[in-house]
């Protein structure tokens, strides 16, 4: 969980936002294992709530690829 996040954290500080606290917990654990937790701010929230925030460089949105029927591949 958080593969893109962890790659970005190799280069710069990042903010991870997800509505699902379990996903944030998994990404946080993976950042800890990779010694990158100090580069990531984690937030259980909806990205819409952060739409008015100012960020220095860029935003990366990784849409959900799962619905009630399971993982989607398109």
């Amino acid at each position: 969980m958080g593969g893109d996040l962890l790659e970005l954290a190799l280069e710069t500080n990042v903010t991870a936002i997800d509505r699902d606290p379990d996903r944030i917990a998994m990404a946080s654990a993976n950042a800890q294992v990779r010694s990158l937790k100090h580069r990531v701010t984690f937030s259980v929230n909806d990205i819409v709530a952060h739409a008015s925030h100012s960020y220095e460089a860029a935003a990366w949105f990784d849409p959900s690829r799962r619905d009630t029927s399971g993982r989607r591949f398109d």
Side-chain angles (χ1 to χ4, degrees):
M1 183 57 54
D4 293 337
L5 165 75
L6 297 175
E7 287 300 312
L8 288 169
L10 289 171
E11 301 299 324
T12 189
N13 293 327
V14 295
T15 300
I17 303 166
D18 200 297
R19 291 182 292 186
D20 185 339
D22 292 334
R23 299 225 181 269
I24 288 290
M26 289 185 278
S28 178
N30 287 337
Q32 181 70 37
V33 168
R34 302 253 324 258
S35 300
L36 292 169
K37 197 165 181 179
H38 68 284
R39 301 289 295 268
V40 184
T41 301
F42 294 94
S43 176
V44 177
N45 214 318
D46 191 307
I47 190 64
V48 174
H50 288 267
S52 64
H53 289 267
S54 174
Y55 295 99
E56 291 181 25
W60 172 259
F61 295 89
D62 188 11
S64 175
R65 291 178 292 271
R66 290 169 185 79
D67 59 20
T68 56
S69 64
R71 186 170 175 92
R72 296 187 322 241
F73 293 98
D74 61 353

Coordinates of all heavy atoms in Angstrom, one line a residue:
M1 N 0.8 -1.2 0.0 CA 0.0 0.0 0.0 C 0.9 1.2 0.0 O 1.8 1.3 0.8 CB -0.9 0.0 1.2 CG -1.9 1.1 1.3 SD -3.0 1.3 0.0 CE -3.7 -0.3 -0.1
G2 N 0.6 2.2 -0.9 CA 1.3 3.4 -0.9 C 2.6 3.4 -1.7 O 3.5 4.2 -1.5
G3 N 2.6 2.5 -2.7 CA 3.9 2.4 -3.6 C 4.3 3.7 -4.2 O 5.4 4.1 -4.2
D4 N 3.3 4.4 -4.8 CA 3.6 5.7 -5.5 C 4.0 6.7 -4.4 O 5.0 7.5 -4.6 CB 2.4 6.2 -6.2 CG 2.0 5.4 -7.4 OD1 2.9 4.7 -7.9 OD2 0.8 5.4 -7.9
L5 N 3.3 6.7 -3.3 CA 3.7 7.6 -2.2 C 5.1 7.4 -1.7 O 5.8 8.4 -1.6 CB 2.7 7.3 -1.0 CG 3.1 7.8 0.3 CD1 2.8 9.3 0.4 CD2 2.3 7.1 1.4
L6 N 5.5 6.2 -1.6 CA 6.8 5.9 -1.1 C 7.9 6.3 -2.1 O 9.0 6.8 -1.7 CB 7.0 4.4 -0.7 CG 6.1 3.9 0.4 CD1 6.2 2.4 0.6 CD2 6.4 4.7 1.7
E7 N 7.6 6.1 -3.4 CA 8.6 6.5 -4.4 C 8.7 8.1 -4.4 O 9.8 8.6 -4.5 CB 8.2 6.0 -5.8 CG 8.4 4.6 -5.9 CD 9.8 4.1 -5.8 OE1 10.7 4.8 -6.4 OE2 10.1 3.2 -5.0
L8 N 7.6 8.8 -4.2 CA 7.7 10.2 -4.2 C 8.4 10.7 -2.9 O 9.2 11.6 -2.9 CB 6.3 10.8 -4.2 CG 5.5 10.8 -5.5 CD1 4.0 11.1 -5.3 CD2 6.1 11.7 -6.5
A9 N 8.2 10.0 -1.8 CA 8.9 10.3 -0.5 C 10.4 10.1 -0.6 O 11.1 10.7 0.2 CB 8.3 9.5 0.6
L10 N 10.9 9.4 -1.5 CA 12.3 9.2 -1.7 C 12.9 10.6 -2.2 O 14.1 10.8 -1.9 CB 12.7 8.2 -2.8 CG 12.4 6.7 -2.3 CD1 12.6 5.8 -3.6 CD2 13.4 6.3 -1.2
E11 N 12.1 11.4 -2.8 CA 12.6 12.7 -3.4 C 12.2 13.9 -2.6 O 12.9 14.9 -2.7 CB 12.1 12.8 -4.8 CG 12.5 11.7 -5.8 CD 14.0 11.6 -5.9 OE1 14.7 12.6 -5.9 OE2 14.5 10.4 -6.0
T12 N 11.0 13.9 -1.9 CA 10.5 15.1 -1.3 C 9.6 14.7 -0.2 O 9.1 13.6 -0.1 CB 9.8 16.0 -2.4 OG1 9.5 17.3 -1.8 CG2 8.6 15.3 -2.9
N13 N 9.2 15.7 0.6 CA 8.1 15.5 1.6 C 6.8 15.5 0.9 O 6.6 16.2 -0.1 CB 8.2 16.7 2.6 CG 9.4 16.7 3.4 OD1 10.0 15.7 3.7 ND2 9.9 17.9 3.8
V14 N 5.9 14.6 1.4 CA 4.6 14.4 0.8 C 3.5 14.3 1.8 O 3.8 14.1 3.0 CB 4.6 13.1 -0.1 CG1 5.5 13.2 -1.3 CG2 4.9 11.9 0.7
T15 N 2.3 14.6 1.4 CA 1.1 14.5 2.2 C 0.3 13.4 1.7 O -0.1 13.4 0.5 CB 0.3 15.8 2.3 OG1 1.2 16.8 2.8 CG2 -0.9 15.7 3.2
A16 N -0.1 12.4 2.5 CA -0.9 11.3 2.0 C -2.3 11.5 2.6 O -2.5 11.6 3.8 CB -0.3 10.0 2.5
I17 N -3.3 11.5 1.7 CA -4.7 11.7 2.2 C -5.5 10.6 1.7 O -5.5 10.3 0.5 CB -5.2 13.1 1.6 CG1 -4.4 14.2 2.1 CG2 -6.7 13.3 2.1 CD1 -4.6 15.5 1.3
D18 N -6.3 9.9 2.5 CA -7.2 8.9 2.1 C -8.4 8.9 3.1 O -8.2 9.1 4.3 CB -6.5 7.5 2.1 CG -7.3 6.5 1.3 OD1 -8.4 6.2 1.6 OD2 -6.7 6.0 0.3
R19 N -9.6 8.6 2.6 CA -10.8 8.5 3.4 C -10.7 7.2 4.3 O -11.4 7.2 5.3 CB -12.0 8.5 2.6 CG -12.3 9.8 1.9 CD -13.6 9.7 1.1 NE -13.4 8.8 0.0 CZ -14.3 8.6 -0.9 NH1 -15.5 9.3 -0.9 NH2 -14.1 7.8 -1.9
D20 N -10.0 6.2 3.9 CA -10.0 4.9 4.6 C -8.8 4.9 5.6 O -7.7 4.8 5.2 CB -9.8 3.8 3.6 CG -10.0 2.4 4.2 OD1 -9.8 2.3 5.4 OD2 -10.2 1.5 3.4
P21 N -9.2 4.9 6.9 CA -8.1 4.8 7.9 C -7.2 3.6 7.8 O -6.0 3.6 8.2 CB -8.8 4.9 9.3 CG -10.3 4.6 8.9 CD -10.5 4.9 7.5
D22 N -7.8 2.5 7.4 CA -7.0 1.2 7.2 C -5.9 1.4 6.1 O -4.8 1.0 6.3 CB -7.8 0.0 6.9 CG -8.8 -0.4 8.0 OD1 -8.4 -0.1 9.2 OD2 -9.8 -0.9 7.7
R23 N -6.2 2.1 5.1 CA -5.3 2.4 4.0 C -4.2 3.3 4.5 O -3.0 3.1 4.2 CB -5.9 2.9 2.8 CG -7.0 2.0 2.2 CD -6.8 1.8 0.7 NE -7.9 0.9 0.2 CZ -7.7 -0.4 0.0 NH1 -6.5 -0.9 0.4 NH2 -8.6 -1.2 -0.4
I24 N -4.5 4.3 5.3 CA -3.5 5.2 5.8 C -2.6 4.4 6.8 O -1.4 4.6 6.8 CB -4.2 6.4 6.6 CG1 -4.8 7.4 5.5 CG2 -3.2 7.1 7.5 CD1 -3.8 8.1 4.7
A25 N -3.2 3.5 7.6 CA -2.4 2.7 8.5 C -1.4 1.8 7.8 O -0.3 1.7 8.1 CB -3.3 1.9 9.4
M26 N -1.9 1.2 6.7 CA -1.0 0.3 5.9 C 0.1 1.2 5.2 O 1.3 0.8 5.2 CB -1.8 -0.4 4.8 CG -2.7 -1.5 5.4 SD -3.5 -2.5 4.1 CE -4.9 -1.4 3.7
A27 N -0.2 2.3 4.6 CA 0.8 3.2 4.0 C 1.8 3.7 5.0 O 3.0 3.7 4.8 CB 0.1 4.3 3.3
S28 N 1.3 4.0 6.2 CA 2.2 4.5 7.3 C 3.1 3.4 7.7 O 4.3 3.6 7.9 CB 1.3 4.9 8.5 OG 2.2 5.3 9.5
A29 N 2.6 2.1 7.9 CA 3.5 1.0 8.2 C 4.6 0.8 7.2 O 5.7 0.5 7.5 CB 2.7 -0.2 8.4
N30 N 4.2 0.9 5.9 CA 5.1 0.7 4.8 C 6.2 1.8 4.8 O 7.3 1.5 4.5 CB 4.4 0.5 3.5 CG 3.7 -0.8 3.3 OD1 4.1 -1.8 4.0 ND2 2.7 -0.8 2.5
A31 N 5.7 3.0 5.1 CA 6.7 4.1 5.1 C 7.7 3.9 6.3 O 8.9 4.2 6.1 CB 6.0 5.4 5.3
Q32 N 7.2 3.4 7.4 CA 8.1 3.1 8.5 C 9.1 2.0 8.2 O 10.3 2.2 8.4 CB 7.2 2.6 9.7 CG 8.0 2.3 11.0 CD 8.6 3.6 11.6 OE1 7.9 4.6 11.6 NE2 9.8 3.5 12.1
V33 N 8.7 1.0 7.5 CA 9.6 -0.1 7.1 C 10.7 0.4 6.2 O 11.8 0.0 6.2 CB 8.8 -1.3 6.5 CG1 9.8 -2.3 5.8 CG2 8.0 -2.0 7.5
R34 N 10.3 1.3 5.3 CA 11.3 1.9 4.3 C 12.0 3.1 4.8 O 12.7 3.8 4.1 CB 10.5 2.3 3.0 CG 9.8 1.2 2.4 CD 10.4 0.6 1.1 NE 11.0 1.5 0.2 CZ 10.5 2.0 -0.9 NH1 9.3 1.7 -1.3 NH2 11.2 2.8 -1.7
S35 N 11.9 3.4 6.1 CA 12.5 4.5 6.8 C 12.2 5.9 6.1 O 13.0 6.7 6.0 CB 14.0 4.3 6.8 OG 14.4 3.2 7.5
L36 N 10.9 6.0 5.7 CA 10.5 7.2 5.0 C 9.4 7.9 5.8 O 8.9 9.0 5.3 CB 10.0 6.9 3.6 CG 11.0 6.4 2.6 CD1 10.4 5.9 1.4 CD2 12.0 7.6 2.3
K37 N 9.0 7.4 6.9 CA 7.9 8.0 7.6 C 8.1 9.5 8.0 O 7.1 10.3 8.0 CB 7.6 7.2 8.9 CG 6.2 7.5 9.5 CD 5.8 6.5 10.4 CE 4.4 6.8 11.0 NZ 3.9 5.8 11.9
H38 N 9.3 9.9 8.2 CA 9.6 11.3 8.5 C 9.4 12.2 7.3 O 9.3 13.4 7.5 CB 11.1 11.4 8.9 CG 12.1 11.2 7.9 ND1 12.4 9.9 7.4 CD2 12.8 12.0 7.1 CE1 13.3 10.0 6.4 NE2 13.6 11.2 6.2
R39 N 9.2 11.6 6.1 CA 9.0 12.4 4.9 C 7.5 12.6 4.5 O 7.1 13.2 3.6 CB 9.7 11.8 3.7 CG 11.2 11.7 3.8 CD 12.0 12.9 3.7 NE 11.9 13.7 2.5 CZ 12.7 13.6 1.5 NH1 13.7 12.7 1.5 NH2 12.6 14.3 0.4
V40 N 6.6 11.9 5.3 CA 5.2 11.8 4.9 C 4.3 12.3 6.1 O 4.5 11.9 7.2 CB 4.8 10.3 4.6 CG1 3.3 10.3 4.1 CG2 5.7 9.7 3.6
T41 N 3.4 13.2 5.7 CA 2.3 13.6 6.6 C 1.1 12.8 6.2 O 0.7 12.8 5.1 CB 2.0 15.1 6.5 OG1 3.2 15.8 6.8 CG2 0.9 15.5 7.4
F42 N 0.5 12.1 7.2 CA -0.7 11.2 6.9 C -2.0 11.9 7.4 O -2.0 12.5 8.5 CB -0.6 9.9 7.5 CG 0.6 9.1 7.0 CD1 1.8 9.1 7.5 CD2 0.4 8.3 5.8 CE1 2.9 8.3 7.0 CE2 1.4 7.5 5.3 CZ 2.6 7.6 5.9
S43 N -3.0 11.8 6.6 CA -4.3 12.4 6.9 C -5.5 11.5 6.5 O -5.6 11.2 5.3 CB -4.5 13.8 6.3 OG -5.7 14.4 6.5
V44 N -6.3 11.2 7.5 CA -7.5 10.4 7.1 C -8.6 11.5 6.8 O -9.0 12.2 7.7 CB -8.0 9.5 8.3 CG1 -9.3 8.9 7.9 CG2 -6.9 8.5 8.6
N45 N -8.9 11.7 5.6 CA -9.7 12.8 5.1 C -10.1 12.6 3.7 O -9.6 11.7 3.0 CB -9.0 14.1 5.3 CG -9.9 15.2 5.7 OD1 -11.0 15.3 5.1 ND2 -9.4 16.1 6.6
D46 N -11.0 13.4 3.2 CA -11.4 13.4 1.8 C -10.6 14.5 1.1 O -10.5 15.6 1.6 CB -12.9 13.7 1.7 CG -13.5 13.4 0.3 OD1 -12.9 14.0 -0.6 OD2 -14.4 12.7 0.2
I47 N -10.1 14.2 -0.1 CA -9.3 15.1 -0.8 C -10.0 16.4 -1.0 O -9.4 17.5 -1.1 CB -8.7 14.5 -2.1 CG1 -7.7 15.4 -2.7 CG2 -9.8 14.2 -3.1 CD1 -6.4 15.6 -1.9
V48 N -11.3 16.4 -1.2 CA -12.1 17.6 -1.4 C -11.9 18.6 -0.2 O -11.9 19.8 -0.4 CB -13.6 17.2 -1.6 CG1 -14.5 18.5 -1.7 CG2 -13.8 16.4 -2.8
A49 N -11.7 18.0 1.0 CA -11.5 18.9 2.1 C -10.2 19.6 2.0 O -10.0 20.6 2.7 CB -11.6 18.1 3.4
H50 N -9.3 19.1 1.2 CA -8.0 19.7 1.1 C -7.8 20.5 -0.2 O -6.8 21.0 -0.6 CB -6.9 18.6 1.1 CG -6.7 18.1 2.5 ND1 -5.7 18.6 3.3 CD2 -7.3 17.1 3.2 CE1 -5.8 17.9 4.5 NE2 -6.7 17.0 4.4
A51 N -8.9 20.7 -1.0 CA -8.9 21.3 -2.3 C -8.4 22.8 -2.2 O -7.8 23.3 -3.1 CB -10.2 21.2 -3.0
S52 N -8.7 23.4 -1.1 CA -8.3 24.8 -0.9 C -6.9 25.0 -0.4 O -6.4 26.1 -0.3 CB -9.3 25.5 0.0 OG -9.2 25.0 1.3
H53 N -6.2 23.9 0.0 CA -4.9 24.0 0.5 C -3.9 24.3 -0.6 O -4.1 24.0 -1.7 CB -4.4 22.7 1.2 CG -5.1 22.4 2.5 ND1 -4.6 22.8 3.7 CD2 -6.3 21.9 2.8 CE1 -5.5 22.5 4.7 NE2 -6.5 21.9 4.1
S54 N -2.9 25.0 -0.2 CA -1.8 25.4 -1.2 C -0.7 24.4 -1.0 O -0.2 24.2 0.1 CB -1.3 26.8 -0.9 OG -0.3 27.1 -1.8
Y55 N -0.3 23.8 -2.1 CA 0.9 22.9 -2.1 C 2.0 23.4 -3.0 O 1.7 24.1 -4.0 CB 0.4 21.5 -2.6 CG -0.6 20.8 -1.7 CD1 -1.9 20.9 -2.0 CD2 -0.2 20.2 -0.5 CE1 -2.9 20.3 -1.1 CE2 -1.1 19.6 0.3 CZ -2.4 19.7 0.0 OH -3.3 19.2 0.9
E56 N 3.2 23.1 -2.6 CA 4.3 23.7 -3.3 C 4.6 23.2 -4.7 O 5.0 24.0 -5.6 CB 5.6 23.5 -2.5 CG 5.6 24.3 -1.2 CD 6.9 24.1 -0.4 OE1 7.9 23.8 -1.0 OE2 6.9 24.3 0.8
A57 N 4.4 21.9 -5.0 CA 4.8 21.4 -6.2 C 3.7 20.8 -7.1 O 3.3 21.3 -8.1 CB 5.9 20.4 -6.0
A58 N 3.1 19.7 -6.6 CA 2.2 18.9 -7.4 C 1.2 18.1 -6.5 O 1.5 17.9 -5.3 CB 2.9 18.0 -8.3
A59 N 0.2 17.6 -7.1 CA -0.7 16.7 -6.5 C -0.9 15.4 -7.3 O -0.9 15.5 -8.5 CB -2.1 17.3 -6.3
W60 N -0.8 14.3 -6.7 CA -1.0 13.0 -7.4 C -2.3 12.3 -6.8 O -2.4 12.1 -5.6 CB 0.2 12.1 -7.1 CG 0.1 10.7 -7.6 CD1 -0.3 9.6 -6.9 CD2 0.2 10.3 -8.9 NE1 -0.3 8.5 -7.7 CE2 0.0 8.9 -8.9 CE3 0.5 10.9 -10.1 CZ2 0.1 8.1 -10.1 CZ3 0.6 10.1 -11.3 CH2 0.4 8.8 -11.3
F61 N -3.2 12.1 -7.7 CA -4.4 11.4 -7.4 C -4.4 10.0 -7.9 O -4.3 9.8 -9.1 CB -5.7 12.2 -8.0 CG -5.8 13.5 -7.4 CD1 -5.2 14.6 -8.0 CD2 -6.6 13.7 -6.3 CE1 -5.4 15.9 -7.5 CE2 -6.8 15.0 -5.7 CZ -6.2 16.1 -6.3
D62 N -4.6 9.1 -7.0 CA -4.6 7.7 -7.5 C -6.0 7.2 -7.2 O -6.4 6.8 -6.1 CB -3.6 6.8 -6.7 CG -3.4 5.4 -7.2 OD1 -3.9 5.1 -8.3 OD2 -2.8 4.6 -6.5
P63 N -6.9 7.1 -8.2 CA -8.3 6.7 -8.0 C -8.4 5.3 -7.6 O -7.6 4.4 -7.9 CB -8.9 6.9 -9.4 CG -7.8 6.8 -10.3 CD -6.6 7.3 -9.6
S64 N -9.4 5.0 -6.8 CA -9.7 3.7 -6.4 C -9.9 2.8 -7.6 O -10.5 3.1 -8.6 CB -11.0 3.7 -5.5 OG -11.3 2.4 -5.2
R65 N -9.4 1.6 -7.5 CA -9.6 0.6 -8.5 C -10.4 -0.6 -8.0 O -10.3 -1.7 -8.5 CB -8.2 0.1 -9.0 CG -7.5 1.3 -9.8 CD -6.2 0.8 -10.3 NE -5.2 0.7 -9.2 CZ -4.5 1.6 -8.7 NH1 -4.5 2.8 -9.2 NH2 -3.6 1.3 -7.7
R66 N -11.2 -0.3 -7.0 CA -12.1 -1.4 -6.4 C -13.5 -0.8 -6.3 O -13.7 0.3 -6.0 CB -11.5 -1.8 -5.1 CG -10.2 -2.6 -5.1 CD -9.6 -2.7 -3.8 NE -8.3 -3.3 -3.8 CZ -7.2 -2.7 -4.2 NH1 -7.2 -1.5 -4.5 NH2 -6.1 -3.4 -4.3
D67 N -14.4 -1.7 -6.5 CA -15.8 -1.4 -6.2 C -16.4 -2.6 -5.5 O -15.7 -3.5 -5.1 CB -16.6 -1.0 -7.5 CG -16.6 -2.1 -8.6 OD1 -16.4 -3.2 -8.2 OD2 -16.8 -1.7 -9.7
T68 N -17.7 -2.6 -5.4 CA -18.4 -3.7 -4.6 C -18.1 -5.1 -5.2 O -18.3 -6.1 -4.6 CB -19.9 -3.4 -4.5 OG1 -20.4 -3.3 -5.8 CG2 -20.1 -2.2 -3.7
S69 N -17.8 -5.1 -6.5 CA -17.5 -6.4 -7.2 C -16.1 -6.8 -7.1 O -15.7 -7.9 -7.6 CB -18.0 -6.4 -8.6 OG -17.2 -5.4 -9.4
G70 N -15.2 -6.0 -6.5 CA -13.8 -6.4 -6.4 C -12.9 -5.4 -7.2 O -13.3 -4.3 -7.6
R71 N -11.7 -5.8 -7.5 CA -10.7 -5.0 -8.2 C -11.0 -4.8 -9.6 O -11.4 -5.8 -10.3 CB -9.3 -5.6 -8.1 CG -8.2 -4.8 -8.6 CD -6.8 -5.3 -8.3 NE -5.8 -4.6 -8.9 CZ -5.2 -3.5 -8.4 NH1 -5.5 -3.1 -7.1 NH2 -4.2 -2.9 -9.0
R72 N -10.9 -3.6 -10.1 CA -11.1 -3.3 -11.5 C -9.8 -3.1 -12.2 O -8.8 -2.6 -11.6 CB -11.9 -1.9 -11.6 CG -13.3 -2.0 -11.1 CD -14.1 -0.7 -11.4 NE -13.3 0.5 -11.3 CZ -13.5 1.5 -10.4 NH1 -14.5 1.4 -9.6 NH2 -12.7 2.5 -10.4
F73 N -9.7 -3.6 -13.4 CA -8.4 -3.5 -14.1 C -8.5 -2.5 -15.3 O -7.6 -2.6 -16.2 CB -8.0 -4.9 -14.6 CG -7.7 -5.8 -13.4 CD1 -8.7 -6.7 -13.0 CD2 -6.5 -5.8 -12.8 CE1 -8.4 -7.5 -11.9 CE2 -6.2 -6.6 -11.7 CZ -7.2 -7.4 -11.2
D74 N -9.5 -1.7 -15.4 CA -9.6 -0.7 -16.5 C -9.9 0.6 -16.0 O -10.2 0.8 -14.8 CB -10.6 -1.1 -17.6 CG -12.0 -1.3 -17.0 OD1 -12.2 -1.1 -15.8 OD2 -12.9 -1.5 -17.8

